[in-house]
């Protein structure tokens, strides 16, 4: 149940759900959607006849239905819109289904959108409302998927043997919807807790999934996901792109404690419901489902209007030049009507063109908003992690100062030191590299300098500088006899060195990337002939300088510390190179 909105925060869109069906033929999906629509309308007391056009189905209630087809005659999509007048408000429920456009890395299928809007009259309060029952009926009738996961309208029970499957779901790069993971509370069965979970599963049906772990499964789960644990009785909301090895990433996945669920169930479960529906409402529709794909006036209607205009124009042209004819007054009125019809038709065409432009603009703005929201989420996670690091560093300094003071070295404890600032741009970073004797840049400066055009360039420059100093310290220790790789160097570092979080270090690419000729070629990067006579080597090893957004910079390097040069060569710095998940 959504909370009432403030007047200044009013948005008529109360719910939006986009379902994806891939394992069923499109014709069967359209048939199922029509059948569910009929059942839903009948349950509300309205007749259902899937005929194109606008019809009255009740007092103050209308139903609009239309279908679109491809050139070969097969159905492309369908849209039904029920508009119900109520005291102080109008409810509008829109169901749209359309065949998706195949893109690399995704499965073809059919997208189905269900939207509920509440159009308020001035001064009317925003009502509490629940998701349309239609959503649950569609999920129960069709095999709706999110990545490799099939959605359900009920909580999914997880035992110890299913934990690996759940972890695969959380880490699936194709998953876009939140996953609620709940652990049963300790002690006797909590009937109220179980009942509220069932209600939560129904409320977030189509926009999230709910998994319930027993105590034994939770133990296995928490051992596997050390930074992403779930406590007894708690519910954790896992956003997409979970990184199990990252303590930084853990901050993105919020926890609702058992204490709050027990003491404030109403408020707690409303928050969880919003956590499920909020991202769905804010997301834009796939373009195949947009209003522009279903024009309010179909081509047949345009043909009829233009035909009527032509008929009127020809009737007027029958008048001769031999003076007044019988019915001259009628002809004059017909001429005026013809001209008015022509003017109206031109105005209607102009308005439809403007509406089409505004819809496209709205779609683009929605997509830009999603990107901005993703960037904001990433910035928040980075800020939280930096704040924790800063707090730890400050506490460590205070503790060291206290210990030095206790051994009569207070002067050393409080003596100021000079610290060089980090580079504020990637260009500055490249210029500073000559200060690091064990690291050299052998790649193209162009992609690296392009990062300076982004808002986060100073952050990336600072992260890259730290990464380069860690690589340099690794090179120094390798020259002194350290016999492990860079990732092991960061996982268990010698004292007094710069390191990176282990989850930011990847020493190889996935098989799907390294065996793909085009993607492999992108990673065959320049080095001097002293490293390779071919002047290029495959650099699968890379550092992840960011984990969100469309740029997500990467630093690809070649470890030649055991070779002729004894150095680390940076062959690429720039936006994330192509992978199998890139569109």
């Amino acid at each position: 149940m959504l909370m009432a909105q403030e007047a200044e925060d009013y948005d008529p869109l109360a719910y939006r759900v986009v379902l994806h069906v891939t394992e069923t033929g499109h014709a069967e999906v359209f048939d199922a959607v029509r059948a569910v629509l009929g059942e839903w309308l009948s349950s509300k007391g309205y007749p259902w006849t899937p005929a194109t056009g606008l019809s009255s189905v009740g007092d103050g209630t209308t139903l609009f239905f239309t279908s679109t087809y491809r050139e070969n005659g097969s159905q492309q999509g369908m849209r039904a819109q029920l508009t119900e007048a109520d005291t102080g408000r109008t409810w509008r429920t829109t169901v749209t289904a359309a065949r998706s456009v195949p893109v690399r890395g995704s499965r073809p299928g059919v997208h189905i959108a269900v939207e509920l809007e509440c159009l308020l009259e001035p001064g009317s309060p925003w009502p509490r409302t629940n998701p349309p029952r239609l959503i649950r009926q569609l999920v129960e009738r069709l095999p709706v998927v999110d990545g490799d996961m099939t959605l359900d309208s009920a909580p999914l029970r997880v035992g110890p043997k299913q934990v690996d499957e759940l972890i695969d779901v959380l880490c699936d790069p194709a998953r876009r919807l939140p996953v609620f993971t709940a652990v049963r509370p300790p002690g006797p069965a909590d009937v109220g807790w179980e009942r509220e979970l069932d209600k939560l599963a129904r409320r977030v049906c189509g926009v999230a999934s709910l998994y319930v772990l027993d105590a034994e499964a939770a133990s296995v789960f928490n051992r596997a996901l050390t930074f992403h644990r779930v406590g007894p009785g708690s519910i954790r909301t896992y956003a997409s792109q979970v990184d199990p090895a990252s303590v930084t990433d853990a901050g993105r996945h919020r926890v609702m404690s058992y204490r709050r669920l027990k003491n404030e169930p109403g408020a707690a479960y409303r928050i969880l419901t919003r956590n499920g529906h909020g991202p769905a409402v804010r997301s834009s529709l796939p373009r195949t489902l947009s209003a522009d794909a279903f024009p309010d006036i179909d081509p047949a209607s345009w043909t009829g209007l233009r035909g009527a205009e032509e008929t009127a124009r020809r009737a007027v042209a029958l008048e001769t030049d031999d003076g007044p004819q019988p019915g001259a007054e009628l002809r004059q009125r017909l001429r005026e009507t013809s001209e008015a019809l022509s003017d109206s038709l031109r105005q209607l065409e102009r308005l439809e063109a403007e509406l089409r432009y505004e819809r496209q603009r709205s779609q683009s703005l929605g997509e830009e908003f999603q990107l901005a929201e993703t960037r904001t989420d990433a910035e928040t996670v980075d800020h939280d992690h930096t704040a924790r690091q800063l707090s730890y560093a400050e506490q460590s300094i205070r503790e060291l100062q206290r210990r030095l003071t206790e051994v009569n070295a207070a002067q050393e404890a409080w003596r100021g030191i000079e610290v060089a600032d980090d580079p504020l741009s990637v260009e500055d970073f490249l210029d500073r590299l000559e200060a690091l004797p064990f690291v050299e840049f052998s790649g193209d400066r162009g992609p690296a300098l392009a990062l300076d055009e982004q808002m986060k360039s100073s952050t990336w420059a600072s992260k890259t500088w730290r990464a380069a100093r860690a690589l340099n310290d690794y090179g120094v220790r390798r020259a002194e006899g350290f016999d492990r790789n860079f990732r092991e160097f960061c996982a268990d570092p010698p004292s007094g060195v710069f390191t990176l979080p282990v989850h930011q270090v990847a020493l190889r690419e996935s098989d799907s990337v390294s065996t793909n000729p085009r993607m492999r070629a992108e990673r065959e990067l320049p080095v001097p002939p002293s490293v390779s006579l071919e002047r290029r080597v495959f650099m699968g090893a890379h550092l992840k300088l960011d984990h969100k957004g469309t740029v997500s910079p990467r630093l690809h390097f070649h470890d030649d510390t055991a070779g002729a040069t004894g150095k680390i060569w940076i062959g690429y710095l720039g936006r994330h190179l192509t992978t199998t998940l890139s569109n």
Side-chain angles (χ1 to χ4, degrees):
M1 197 181 302
L2 293 183
M3 295 291 290
Q5 300 184 51
E6 298 295 333
E8 62 271 16
D9 193 34
Y10 168 64
D11 181 349
L13 184 61
Y15 291 99
R16 170 183 284 160
V17 175
V18 178
L19 311 175
H20 192 202
V21 181
T22 61
E23 302 301 329
T24 304
H26 65 270
E28 290 82 1
V29 174
F30 291 136
D31 287 343
V33 173
R34 279 189 285 267
V36 171
L37 268 171
E39 294 168 6
W40 177 68
L41 288 167
S42 296
S43 71
K44 294 172 72 69
Y46 301 133
W48 165 239
T49 53
T52 298
L54 182 68
S55 58
S56 175
V57 294
D59 187 18
T61 303
T62 60
L63 177 66
F64 175 76
F65 184 79
T66 186
S67 298
T68 58
Y69 296 87
R70 295 188 174 183
E71 292 182 358
N72 63 6
S74 63
Q75 188 167 1
Q76 165 60 29
M78 55 177 286
R79 164 167 286 183
Q81 188 171 82
L82 180 70
T83 304
E84 302 170 281
D86 195 2
T87 304
R89 63 186 67 93
T90 298
W91 297 100
R92 187 162 62 197
T93 307
T94 306
V95 180
T96 311
R99 292 159 70 175
S100 58
V101 177
V103 295
R104 186 175 59 213
S106 70
R107 294 177 292 182
V110 176
H111 280 115
I112 306 165
V114 180
E115 299 172 283
L116 175 64
E117 298 169 281
C118 181
L119 310 171
L120 297 178
E121 294 179 4
S124 297
W126 179 266
R128 294 181 182 272
T129 179
N130 291 316
R133 186 172 62 256
L134 180 64
I135 300 169
R136 192 165 72 251
Q137 292 173 307
L138 287 167
V139 170
E140 292 172 348
R141 180 73 64 92
L142 290 164
V144 179
V145 298
D146 179 30
D148 290 329
M149 172 181 63
T150 300
L151 303 189
D152 205 307
S153 61
L156 300 171
R157 311 293 168 176
V158 177
K161 294 182 179 179
Q162 290 84 44
V163 167
D164 286 344
E165 294 179 26
L166 173 57
I167 294 174
D168 288 342
V169 165
L170 297 181
C171 299
D172 180 4
R175 177 175 67 85
R176 60 185 178 84
L177 301 180
V179 171
F180 295 109
T181 301
V183 174
R184 284 200 176 92
D190 188 331
V191 177
W193 186 84
E194 294 278 358
R195 184 173 57 250
E196 290 294 342
L197 282 189
D198 288 337
K199 287 195 277 188
L200 176 63
R202 291 195 296 271
R203 288 172 183 158
V204 299
C205 179
V207 296
S209 291
L210 174 58
Y211 290 82
V212 182
L213 285 68
D214 58 31
E216 189 178 355
S219 178
V220 176
F221 181 88
N222 288 333
R223 284 199 300 271
L225 272 70
T226 308
F227 302 128
H228 299 71
R229 299 165 63 90
V230 187
S234 300
I235 301 176
R236 189 160 194 166
T237 306
Y238 291 95
S240 59
Q241 300 181 34
V242 173
D243 184 351
S246 171
V247 64
T248 304
D249 177 72
R252 294 194 303 121
H253 314 288
R254 304 302 182 186
V255 178
M256 183 68 71
S257 69
Y258 180 50
R259 175 181 296 178
R260 187 165 189 190
L261 290 168
K262 190 76 172 173
N263 296 337
E264 306 174 60
Y269 284 102
R270 278 196 297 271
I271 290 171
L272 290 170
T273 301
R274 285 202 298 271
N275 287 348
H277 281 279
V281 168
R282 293 192 296 271
S283 66
S284 58
L285 290 173
R287 289 190 180 272
T288 54
L289 297 178
S290 66
D292 193 47
F294 294 86
D296 295 321
I297 301 179
D298 61 25
S301 298
W302 277 118
T303 301
L305 286 170
R306 292 190 178 99
E309 179 201 19
E310 179 66 15
T311 299
R313 187 181 61 76
R314 287 180 177 177
V316 172
L318 292 176
E319 184 175 358
T320 68
D321 296 329
D322 297 333
Q325 300 291 318
E329 183 179 351
L330 179 60
R331 290 183 179 279
Q332 177 61 28
R333 290 180 181 176
L334 184 59
R335 179 184 294 108
E336 292 172 356
T337 302
S338 173
E339 291 172 354
L341 179 60
S342 297
D343 289 342
S344 297
L345 187 58
R346 284 193 293 271
Q347 184 178 13
L348 189 58
E349 288 174 329
R350 178 179 59 80
L351 290 173
E352 194 194 37
E354 291 178 358
L355 179 61
R356 185 164 53 250
Y357 168 76
E358 291 299 332
R359 284 170 171 168
Q360 292 171 348
R361 182 170 177 269
S362 175
Q363 179 85 14
S364 297
L365 289 173
E367 292 169 356
E368 290 177 14
F369 175 79
Q370 281 185 271
L371 290 175
E373 190 173 44
T374 299
R375 287 194 292 268
T376 300
D377 289 344
E379 292 285 358
T380 301
V381 171
D382 284 346
H383 173 76
D384 290 346
H385 181 60
T386 301
R388 286 193 294 270
Q389 286 183 314
L390 178 61
S391 176
Y392 176 78
E394 289 176 338
Q395 292 178 61
S396 298
I397 290 171
R398 296 290 180 268
E399 178 61 19
L400 291 172
Q401 288 173 332
R402 185 187 65 78
R403 293 181 185 181
L404 285 170
T405 301
E406 288 179 351
V407 295
N408 299 319
Q411 186 175 357
E412 287 296 316
W414 300 96
R415 182 168 59 86
I417 58 173
E418 293 185 7
V419 179
D421 291 333
D422 286 350
L424 293 177
S425 68
V426 175
E427 183 178 18
D428 187 13
F429 159 76
L430 293 174
D431 292 341
R432 291 195 194 189
L433 266 182
E434 61 185 22
L436 305 178
F438 286 87
V439 179
E440 287 204 36
F441 184 81
S442 58
D444 180 0
R445 290 170 63 96
L449 296 178
L451 295 177
D452 280 337
E453 300 173 10
Q454 304 291 326
M455 285 289 292
K456 295 182 69 174
S457 61
S458 60
T459 300
W460 294 334
S462 178
K463 287 184 174 181
T464 309
W465 180 237
R466 181 180 182 89
R469 287 186 291 180
L471 288 169
N472 188 73
D473 282 355
Y474 167 70
V476 171
R477 294 307 173 101
R478 285 282 285 168
E480 295 173 351
F482 184 81
D483 61 354
R484 286 175 287 169
N485 61 42
F486 180 62
R487 197 173 196 279
E488 293 170 322
F489 173 82
C490 292
D492 186 18
S495 60
V497 299
F498 284 101
T499 62
L500 292 177
V502 174
H503 73 273
Q504 292 182 12
V505 181
L507 296 184
R508 61 183 297 274
E509 289 283 13
S510 64
D511 291 341
S512 60
V513 170
S514 59
T515 58
N516 181 292
R518 182 172 64 87
M519 298 177 190
R520 184 178 180 87
E522 285 186 348
R523 293 159 174 79
E524 290 176 349
L525 299 163
V527 291
S530 54
V531 176
S532 171
L533 294 177
E534 287 79 13
R535 295 178 179 269
R536 283 187 176 272
V537 296
F538 176 70
M539 296 191 188
H542 59 278
L543 307 179
K544 306 169 187 178
L545 304 176
D546 208 340
H547 62 283
K548 281 284 185 182
T550 58
V551 179
S552 297
R554 296 294 187 261
L555 183 154
H556 286 256
F557 67 94
H558 173 67
D559 184 352
D560 195 46
T561 53
T565 65
K567 296 183 178 182
I568 294 93
W569 295 89
I570 300 174
Y572 176 84
L573 174 60
R575 67 166 53 236
H576 199 310
L577 294 173
T578 308
T579 69
T580 53
L581 296 177
S582 304
N583 288 333

